[in-house]
Amino acid sequence: AGNSSSREGNWNFSHFVVQFEDYRDFMFALFPDPNNEAECEYKLYLEVDQSTNHCTARADALKVENMNQKWGGWGETKKMIRGSILPDPIPPGTNYIGNFIPTAPGPNGTRIEHPQRARPGENIPYTFSPGDPIPFNPGREDPPEQDIPIPGKFLKNRKRTKNELWTAILANDPQTKMPGRLAKDAKLTDLQNIALRAELPIECPVPKINRGYIGDGNVPLGKVEYLYRRGFIDPNATKAPSNEECTELLESLTDFKTELTLLQKVGRDLGLEVIMTPICHIEVVRKLGRKVREYKLAYRTLMEEQEGSDGMKTLAEYMPTYFSLGY
């Protein structure tokens, strides 16, 4: 069991989703809504502990680990966060938009309101779009919109691809007998040998590139630009916040703090709510035995024994919701 999905026959998240769907179908069939047979008579909840599989994040999750500090780079996970749609109106006491109004260069050296400023009810994309102003990057040279090769500057050579070798060989001698009908049919080593015999290079220099922030339309904003557009960085700042400061700010954002796990998202799409109990959920069984079925007594006893611990703080936040379900 667990997340050892690489071993044949072991239970993994995909299996749990199937069980999840079966549970939903079972309850809908047993307890149809008298006024709407397509719905269930009851609001359905599923309680699971925070095991690795249960807490699997969505591929495009709003997670700080998915973000690089500066624009154009990737985070630790090499994944892209999705755009975040802000509520409208912004609920009191939440942290969606900062107090600063981001600006961008305007005509004649002026500053205008940033066209991609985060606003209630709108989506905040995590990539640059054509026409976007330059990223907030105080104290540094403004980047170009598109990639520009730097004249006379090269990185290490790279191997030529099959298509490149094929084209070069035939351009050098159209009568050359090729090892296949098309480049994709040939082996790379065969094409390299033919090129070497014809004294053609099998490598080519890679120019050093001054990266553009628009590029192919899939360039990530990075933590600094993302927070700047959401109004958490002073546009008059002479220095961008550090990676640690950006991380702290991002982790305080309401949409990041309330991000659903993949299981919770699947559940909500199916019309169910998933309740994630803290890790100490397993302690209920260990301390009070499998014969105990009264959850209220179990949780209350556990809270008394471990009052003040981090696990109990999480559990205390969860308890009112748990008891409200009628257990």
Side-chain angles (χ1 to χ4, degrees), residues 13 49-58 261-263 276:
F13 179 78
D49 63 19
Q50 297 188 42
S51 70
T52 302
N53 274 315
H54 297 163
C55 293
T56 299
R58 299 163 64 178
T261 66
L262 181 56
L263 184 61
M276 308 293 292

Side-chain angles (χ1 to χ4, degrees), residues 189-205:
T189 52
D190 291 341
L191 292 173
Q192 289 174 334
N193 290 333
I194 294 174
L196 289 172
R197 288 196 295 269
E199 298 183 350
L200 297 173
I202 62 172
E203 294 183 345
C204 60

Side-chain angles (χ1 to χ4, degrees), residues 30-306:
L30 276 183
F31 307 105
D33 187 332
N35 301 317
N36 185 355
E37 293 185 356
E39 299 293 333
C40 184
E41 183 179 3
Y42 302 104
K43 176 66 177 177
L44 300 179
Y45 294 85
L46 183 67
E47 177 190 324
V48 297
D49 63 19
Q50 297 188 42
S51 70
T52 302
N53 274 315
H54 297 163
C55 293
T56 299
R58 299 163 64 178
D60 56 358
L62 299 179
K63 296 182 64 177
V64 178
E65 294 84 353
N66 292 353
M67 306 174 72
N68 192 48
Q69 163 72 352
K70 300 177 182 179
W71 67 268
W74 299 89
E76 299 172 14
T77 59
K78 306 300 180 184
K79 295 179 181 179
M80 180 83 77
I81 71 169
R82 67 181 184 281
S84 182
I85 300 177
L86 302 185
D88 186 14
I90 301 294
T94 56
N95 193 27
Y96 285 100
I97 299 177
N99 297 322
F100 298 107
I101 298 177
T103 60
N108 302 320
T110 60
R111 301 289 295 182
I112 61 173
E113 184 176 309
H114 200 292
Q116 296 292 350
R117 174 190 176 188
R119 293 178 174 84
E122 296 185 2
N123 178 54
I124 307 173
Y126 188 59
T127 55
F128 289 96
S129 301
D132 276 2
I134 59 172
F136 179 74
N137 203 22
R140 295 179 179 272
E141 184 180 350
D142 293 341
E145 288 192 8
Q146 300 295 332
D147 294 351
I148 299 177
I150 301 175
K153 298 288 186 179
F154 296 93
L155 303 174
K156 292 182 179 179
N157 288 354
R158 65 165 177 84
K159 300 289 185 182
R160 280 185 163 184
T161 65
K162 291 198 293 185
N163 283 330
E164 289 171 336
L165 288 169
W166 186 281
T167 302
I169 292 169
L170 290 179
N172 181 65
D173 183 2
Q175 303 302 318
T176 303
K177 184 178 180 181
M178 304 300 286
R181 190 169 62 88
L182 300 171
K184 65 178 182 179
D185 303 324
K187 291 183 179 180
L188 178 60
T189 52
D190 291 341
L191 292 173
Q192 289 174 334
N193 290 333
I194 294 174
L196 289 172
R197 288 196 295 269
E199 298 183 350
L200 297 173
I202 62 172
E203 294 183 345
C204 60
V206 179
K208 191 172 183 179
I209 302 293
N210 186 9
R211 294 296 177 188
Y213 66 94
I214 300 296
D216 59 1
N218 200 36
V219 179
L221 297 183
K223 296 177 184 178
V224 172
E225 179 69 11
Y226 187 76
L227 287 167
Y228 180 71
R229 294 185 178 194
R230 292 186 68 158
F232 289 97
I233 298 177
D234 186 348
N236 295 316
T238 57
K239 182 181 178 182
S242 67
N243 187 48
E244 292 74 18
E245 291 170 328
C246 288
T247 297
E248 185 177 351
L249 274 170
L250 287 163
E251 290 178 343
S252 73
L253 300 184
T254 302
D255 43 348
F256 277 67
K257 292 172 66 175
T258 58
E259 173 71 359
L260 298 178
T261 66
L262 181 56
L263 184 61
Q264 289 173 317
K265 177 64 168 59
V266 171
R268 190 159 293 183
D269 290 344
L270 292 173
L272 295 82
E273 289 295 327
V274 177
I275 299 174
M276 308 293 292
T277 66
I279 293 299
C280 63
H281 172 77
I282 196 65
E283 295 294 315
V284 175
V285 176
R286 183 189 307 168
K287 289 182 176 292
L288 298 180
R290 293 186 178 276
K291 293 183 180 180
V292 175
R293 292 294 179 264
E294 181 50 65
Y295 280 165
K296 286 185 182 180
L297 173 62
Y299 280 118
R300 282 172 178 162
T301 302
L302 192 61
M303 288 182 73
E304 290 173 0
E305 291 182 0
Q306 302 188 26

